[in-house]
Structures are given as C-alpha cells and as structure tokens.
C-alpha cells in the first residue's frame, strides 16, 4: 500500500511558466481540430477576419488551456475568490483568454494595414487638447495604461492627433512593432511614434532623453519589465491589488519624478458598441524631484495608479489580457499547513454530517496533461503533482464529477480507502479540500 504523504507529492514553489500555445498543457479532451483550424486561419497570408473571430470565440475551455486559460483561472482566483463564485471566475477567465487571442490578432492585423494616411478613428474621447497643453509646458509627459481593454489602440490614436511620443515595449512586443514598421515604413503612424525595448539599456536611456527634452512617453505599467526583465528586483514597489500584494515596476514613475513630468493615466473600453478612452488619475510632481521627495512621490503615485487599476479590474477583469502573467509579480501568500490531526478532524466532521468533499475551487486550480495531474494553490503558488495511483480519485474530486461522501468511501477496497483518507488529510491540511 502506498503511503500517501506530502512527501509523495511532487511539490514546487512556483507555478510553471506559460510560454506558448501548447506549453501550458492542454486537457486530455481538448479538440485539437479546433486549435489547428484556428492556427491555420491565424497564419494565413490572406486572413478572413470574421472567420478568425468566430474560430476564437468557438474554442472550448479545454482548447483555451493551450492558450493560458489555467493561468487566468489561477490569477483571477487569487483576486476574486472571496467575492465571486467559481462559475463567475471561470467565465471571466475564459473571456480574458479569448480577449487576449482575438484582440491581440485584431490589432496585429490593424498594424499590418497602416497606410501613409491615417485610417478611421479607433478610440473616441482622446483628450487631444489636454495632452498638447501639458506638453506645451515643456516638462515632458508620462502617459500610462494597463494591459486591459483596447489599450493597444492608444499609441496609434496618439499618433493620429499629431503628438510625438515614444512607446515603451518589452522584447516580444518590440519585435512585433519592428515587423509592422518594416512592412509599412511610410505609414503615417511612424511620423509621430517611436518605440524602444525597455529590456535593453539603450531603450531605458532613450525614454529619459525624451522626457529631458519635454517629450512624451507611453507605457503599460503592468508589463512589469525593464533592464532586469519581469522578475527582476530593480525599481520595484509593493502595492495592494484587490487584497493581493504585488511587486510592481516603477521605472516610468521614477522618470516622471526625475524630470518633473506629469503623469496621465488612461484606459480604453467598449461601451455601447463604441471604443472610448477613459481618463484615470492625473498626478503632477510639479518640479523635478530628488532624494526623499522623489521617493515619496513615486510611492504615492504608484499607490494611486494601482488603486485606479484595482477599481477598473472589478468592472473589466474579463478584458485583462495581461492577467495570465500576474503570478510573475504577485507576492504569494504564506503557505497554510495545519497539523494533520486537525486536518483529519475537519474531514471527519464533514463526512459525519453527511456532506461530500471536493477540491477547494476557491484556492486550487487543477491542470491535466496526458499522464499528469497537478494542483496549483492560487494563493500560495505552490504546485503539487498528484501521484499516478491517485489520478482517479483526484478526478472524482473535481466539482460536479462525483459525490465523494462517507458511504462512497466506505465502499472502496481497504487499500484504496487508506489512500483516500491519507489524500484527504494531507490536502485538507493545506485547505485544498472543502465541503460541497
């Protein structure tokens, strides 16, 4: 008989990375034909926009696991486990995954169609005069947003209104923009927009030079990258996001303090069928700051910007395309570990009351590959690989799969019953088991 203890689980301190279409592990029942059909449409030299839209929105949840759905589930669960139901979080995670695929492709296609003359307006309510008035002060301007909603259209709309600015990008996005510029070098957009890779020294230095000359820069704050990448420790501050602690990059905000440049936060969402720009906080250091004055400004501005982001998430979490990467900069909660005796009493009480037990969907996300099941604690980011001999039982604990109650457990073989009791005891110690 296998001794089912925590030591028999393969545990790691951090959730696996989401590095591409299939790397996050598709479900056993994923419809590969739906994925292959979409990939073929996405790679077409003559893309059918309507067909791609329909193919993306037709993906099942199993299909979407291949596009990072489990990461969205985990990160949204960390934010909303106490305020939203399991079903609501599932729906929001699905919408966010679809949003990233569809809007990412849609904007990539939009860039490929840029012409020497500007096309139709993509965002209403761009505060043209306010932006130009601020730039006329000669102190520079830091425009900020988040990877949410229709943020991708902000750069081209700023170019449309004739405001020269520099766009701060991570390496992958920098490659996409470079490709688009090479395909349409005479597009009107490039007359006003430059862009840099902030993961390179020259990129960060260029942003400083732009502000020093009184120009404008634009960055998405939750990209959380810089010279040391998304996991580095440089230029960080700790903020609260809907009850979660996160270590966020402050490079753009530090530049605002250094050059005395005001910060304009904004977002873009679709309301009543119209894509609209929405202003966030306006934060002005008033003058170039140094020392403690600069430090205080950076801390206060960062807190204010992320408070605005938190409020926005409540309404638009389903449009948070960057939500699949939140675990890279979120601070995990301290791991819970009850004494095994206490955990066993909890399980016994549940079963004696005639209730059933299930995986605690308020903190545990399950990922499945062909021969592997892993439970990820959304709050602590600990991962536990389920032993092969207990795959069948882990599947029984999925919501809606089976009623695992005292009578059902007592009908199992003595060997399986012992394993089940050890499994429940060990995971109840981590609050990974709950009553239905």
């Amino acid at each position: 008989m296998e001794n089912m203890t925590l030591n028999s689980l393969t545990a790691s301190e951090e959730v696996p990375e989401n590095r591409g279409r299939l790397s996050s592990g598709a479900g056993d029942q994923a419809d590969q034909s739906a994925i292959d059909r979409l990939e073929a449409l996405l790679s077409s030299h003559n893309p059918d926009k309507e067909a791609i839209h329909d193919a993306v929105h037709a993906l099942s949840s199993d299909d979407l696991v291949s596009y990072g759905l489990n990461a969205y589930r985990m990160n949204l669960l960390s934010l909303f486990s106490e305020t939203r139901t399991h079903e609501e979080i599932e729906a929001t995670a699905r919408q966010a995954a679809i949003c990233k695929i569809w809007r990412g492709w849609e904007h990539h296609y939009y860039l490929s169609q840029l012409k020497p003359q500007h096309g139709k307006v993509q965002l209403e309510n761009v505060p043209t005069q306010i932006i130009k008035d601020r730039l006329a002060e000669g102190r520079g301007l830091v425009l900020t947003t988040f990877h949410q909603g229709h943020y991708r259209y902000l750069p081209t709309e700023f170019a449309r209104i004739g405001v020269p600015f520099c766009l701060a990008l991570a390496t992958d996005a920098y490659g996409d923009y470079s490709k688009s510029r090479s395909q349409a070098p005479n597009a009107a957009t490039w007359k006003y927009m430059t862009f840099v890779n902030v993961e390179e020294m020259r990129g960060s230095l260029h942003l400083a030079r732009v502000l020093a000359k009184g120009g404008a820069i634009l960055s998405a704050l939750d990209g959380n990258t810089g010279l040391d990448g998304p996991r580095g420790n440089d230029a960080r501050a700790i903020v609260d996001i809907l009850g979660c602690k996160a270590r966020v990059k402050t490079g753009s905000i530090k530049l605002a303090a250094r050059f005395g440049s005001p910060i304009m936060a904004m977002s873009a969402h679709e309301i009543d069928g119209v894509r609209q720009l929405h202003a966030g906080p306006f934060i002005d250091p008033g003058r170039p700051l140094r020392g403690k004055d600069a430090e205080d400004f950076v801390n206060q501005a960062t807190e204010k910007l992320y408070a605005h982001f938190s409020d926005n998430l409540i309404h638009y979490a389903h449009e948070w395309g960057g939500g699949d990467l939140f675990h890279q900069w979120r601070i995990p909660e301290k791991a819970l570990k009850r004494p095994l005796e206490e955990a066993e009493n909890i399980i016994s009480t549940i079963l004696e009351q005639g209730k059933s037990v299930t995986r605690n969907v308020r903190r545990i996300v399950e990922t499945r590959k062909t021969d592997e099941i892993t439970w990820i604690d959304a709050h602590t980011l600990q991962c536990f690989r389920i032993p092969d001999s207990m795959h069948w039982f882990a599947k029984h604990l999925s919501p809606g799969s089976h009623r695992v109650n005292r009578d059902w457990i007592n009908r199992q073989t003595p060997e399986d019953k012992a394993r089940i009791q050890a499994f429940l005891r060990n995971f109840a110690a981590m609050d990974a088991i709950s009553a239905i």
Side-chain angles (χ1 to χ4, degrees):
M1 180 176 73
E2 178 180 342
N3 180 23
M4 181 63 186
T5 67
L6 285 181
N7 290 332
S8 68
L9 301 175
T10 302
S12 63
E13 293 301 318
E14 198 168 308
V15 67
E17 290 298 328
N18 175 27
R19 295 189 184 278
R21 183 171 75 85
L22 294 177
S23 62
S24 57
D28 289 339
Q29 303 301 317
D31 182 356
Q32 291 299 314
S33 64
I35 294 175
D36 292 341
R37 182 166 58 252
L38 174 60
E39 292 294 317
L41 288 168
L42 292 174
S43 60
S44 171
H45 294 296
N46 187 26
D48 183 332
K49 189 173 181 179
E50 184 175 347
I52 291 174
H53 175 276
D54 293 345
V56 171
H57 287 76
L59 292 173
S60 69
S61 292
D62 283 337
D63 297 330
L64 286 170
V65 169
S66 298
Y67 296 91
L69 178 60
N70 281 330
Y72 284 107
R73 285 168 167 160
M74 177 185 67
N75 290 325
L76 291 172
L77 186 60
S78 72
L79 293 167
F80 297 110
S81 62
E82 298 301 321
T83 58
R84 300 187 183 180
T85 66
H86 170 65
E87 291 74 20
E88 288 171 335
I89 293 172
E90 281 287 304
T92 302
R94 173 182 169 80
Q95 289 175 298
I98 287 176
C99 180
K100 185 170 186 176
I101 301 168
W102 165 242
R103 292 186 182 176
W105 178 87
E106 183 184 39
H107 186 255
H108 177 77
Y109 178 76
Y110 172 76
L111 290 179
S112 72
Q113 303 301 303
L114 292 177
K115 306 295 183 185
Q117 299 79 32
H118 291 296
K120 66 178 183 179
V121 172
Q122 298 297 316
L123 293 177
E124 300 290 344
N125 301 330
V126 176
T128 304
Q129 196 57 50
I130 294 175
I131 292 174
K132 290 183 176 180
D133 288 346
R134 293 299 177 184
L135 283 172
E137 296 174 1
R139 293 186 291 139
L141 181 63
V142 176
L143 302 164
T144 67
T145 188
F146 294 90
H147 291 88
Q148 190 183 44
H150 291 287
Y151 71 93
R152 293 179 179 89
Y153 289 106
L154 289 172
T156 46
E157 290 307 295
F158 291 147
R160 173 193 302 281
I161 65 176
V163 171
F165 70 98
C166 183
L167 177 62
L169 298 169
T171 300
D172 55 349
Y174 179 82
D176 292 339
Y177 269 86
S178 295
K179 182 178 179 180
S180 297
R181 185 172 58 185
S182 66
Q183 292 173 336
N186 296 320
T189 295
W190 312 126
K191 297 177 183 178
Y192 297 96
M193 182 202 307
T194 59
F195 50 89
V196 296
N197 182 351
V198 294
E199 294 178 8
E200 296 180 352
M201 178 63 75
R202 59 183 178 181
S204 297
L205 292 175
H206 184 77
L207 294 178
R209 285 195 292 269
V210 169
L211 290 181
K213 295 178 181 179
I217 66 173
L218 170 64
S219 66
L221 296 182
D222 60 327
N224 275 277
T225 193
L227 292 176
D228 55 352
R231 292 186 179 275
N233 293 319
D234 292 346
R236 292 271 187 186
I238 296 177
V239 297
D240 180 274
I241 301 176
L242 299 179
C244 284
K245 297 297 182 183
R247 297 174 64 253
V248 301
K249 285 285 191 178
T250 58
S252 298
I253 303 169
K254 284 188 172 183
L255 287 176
R258 176 181 172 185
F259 295 104
S261 306
I263 300 171
M264 287 184 64
M266 53 198 66
S267 58
H269 299 284
E270 188 170 317
I271 299 178
D272 297 330
V274 179
R275 295 172 181 162
Q276 303 179 37
L277 188 147
H278 307 276
F282 178 80
I283 308 170
D284 191 348
R287 57 183 173 79
L289 302 175
R290 296 290 184 270
K292 190 176 185 304
D293 288 341
E295 182 179 342
D296 289 344
F297 172 80
V298 170
N299 290 336
Q300 293 168 11
T302 302
E303 183 176 339
K304 186 176 293 187
L305 289 165
Y306 276 92
H308 167 70
F309 176 58
S310 296
D311 290 341
N312 216 42
L313 271 181
I314 294 173
H315 302 287
Y316 298 106
H318 61 288
E319 294 185 333
W320 188 21
D324 58 337
L325 301 178
F326 184 40
H327 58 276
Q328 291 186 354
W329 41 288
R330 171 162 59 94
I331 299 175
E333 295 178 13
K334 184 178 180 180
L336 172 68
K337 184 62 172 72
R338 295 189 180 97
L340 291 179
E341 183 178 350
E342 180 184 342
E344 189 164 16
N345 289 336
I346 291 173
I347 295 298
S348 296
T349 299
I350 293 173
L351 297 176
E352 287 171 2
Q353 292 175 346
K355 298 178 182 178
S356 298
V357 290
T358 184
R359 184 179 83 245
N360 184 357
V361 295
R362 289 199 173 275
R363 73 179 305 132
I364 301 296
V365 173
E366 181 180 89
T367 68
R368 297 184 187 180
K369 295 182 181 179
T370 304
D371 298 314
E372 182 180 305
I373 296 179
T374 301
W375 282 12
I376 305 173
D377 189 320
H379 299 281
T380 68
L381 295 183
Q382 286 185 305
C383 304
F384 297 94
R385 184 173 297 173
I386 306 300
D388 294 349
S389 62
M390 297 304 290
H391 280 191
W392 66 279
F393 184 60
K395 292 176 181 178
H396 275 317
L397 290 174
S398 296
S401 297
H402 201 283
R403 292 196 67 81
V404 178
N405 53 28
R406 182 175 58 182
D407 292 341
W408 181 86
I409 293 173
N410 287 336
R411 292 197 299 270
Q412 308 311 306
T413 66
E415 183 179 76
D416 282 343
K417 184 176 178 180
R419 290 177 174 175
I420 288 169
Q421 290 171 334
F423 186 106
L424 293 175
R425 178 175 60 246
N426 284 308
F427 277 107
M430 298 179 291
D431 200 24
I433 301 295
S434 64
I436 295 178

